[in-house]
């Protein structure tokens, strides 16, 4: 997992984070230790949790660009009706929609022009410090 953390590419080209391996290791060890899975087909570490009919995808850690739809297909179950991404997914799939989150416990400090041109954005879950 340490090698994945050190060599990962950002989960999103739209709004991703890089060079955060120590913070990611913190999430591996303490926060998501019961939600870590390995996708051998995509050579990726998946952080997700199924709660009733909702799939919560916290992060996808890979050393190369992955096929998001293929990875999500490996995570979903027959009960899954809705998938929540805790990052901005790179996908042109019409079934993936974004919505503005109006209530959250997060605090965000934004530098001017940082989010220029991005309609909806969310820092990846594992980049929250």
């Amino acid at each position: 997992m340490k090698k994945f953390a050190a060599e990962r590419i950002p989960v999103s080209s739209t709004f991703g984070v890089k060079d955060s391996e120590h913070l990611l290791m913190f999430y591996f060890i303490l926060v998501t230790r019961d939600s870590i899975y390995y996708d051998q087909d995509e050579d990726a570490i998946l952080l997700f949790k199924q709660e009733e009919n909702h799939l919560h995808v916290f992060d996808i850690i890979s050393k190369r660009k992955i096929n998001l739809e293929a990875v999500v297909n490996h995570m979903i179950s027959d009960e899954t009706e809705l998938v929540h991404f805790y990052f901005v997914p790179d996908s042109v799939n019409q079934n993936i929609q974004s919505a503005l989150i109006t209530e959250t416990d997060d605090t965000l400090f934004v530098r001017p022009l940082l989010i220029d041109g991005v309609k909806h954005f969310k820092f990846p879950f594992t980049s929250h410090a």
Side-chain angles (χ1 to χ4, degrees), residues 96-110:
I96 297 177
Q97 302 171 359
S98 65
L100 184 62
I101 299 171
T102 57
E103 294 182 22
T104 182
D105 294 332
D106 289 340
T107 301
L108 176 63
F109 300 96
V110 179

Side-chain angles (χ1 to χ4, degrees), residues 18-67:
K18 60 181 182 176
D19 300 326
S20 62
E21 71 180 273
H22 295 95
L23 186 56
L24 183 55
M25 290 303 297
F26 166 81
Y27 275 89
F28 282 162
I29 295 167
L30 296 173
V31 180
T32 61
R33 68 178 174 263
D34 296 328
S35 304
I36 301 173
Y37 302 89
Y38 178 69
D39 184 332
Q40 188 173 2
D41 294 339
E42 291 291 329
D43 190 28
I45 295 175
L46 315 175
L47 304 180
F48 71 93
K49 177 171 51 172
Q50 180 83 36
E51 289 183 334
E52 297 178 9
N53 60 347
H54 291 231
L55 177 67
H56 299 270
V57 181
F58 303 116
D59 205 347
I60 300 171
I61 297 93
S62 179
K63 296 180 268 183
R64 61 178 175 79
K65 187 162 178 61
I66 52 103
N67 179 333

Side-chain angles (χ1 to χ4, degrees), residues 89-100:
D90 285 338
S91 179
V92 292
N93 186 323
Q94 294 179 356
N95 292 323
I96 297 177
Q97 302 171 359
S98 65
L100 184 62

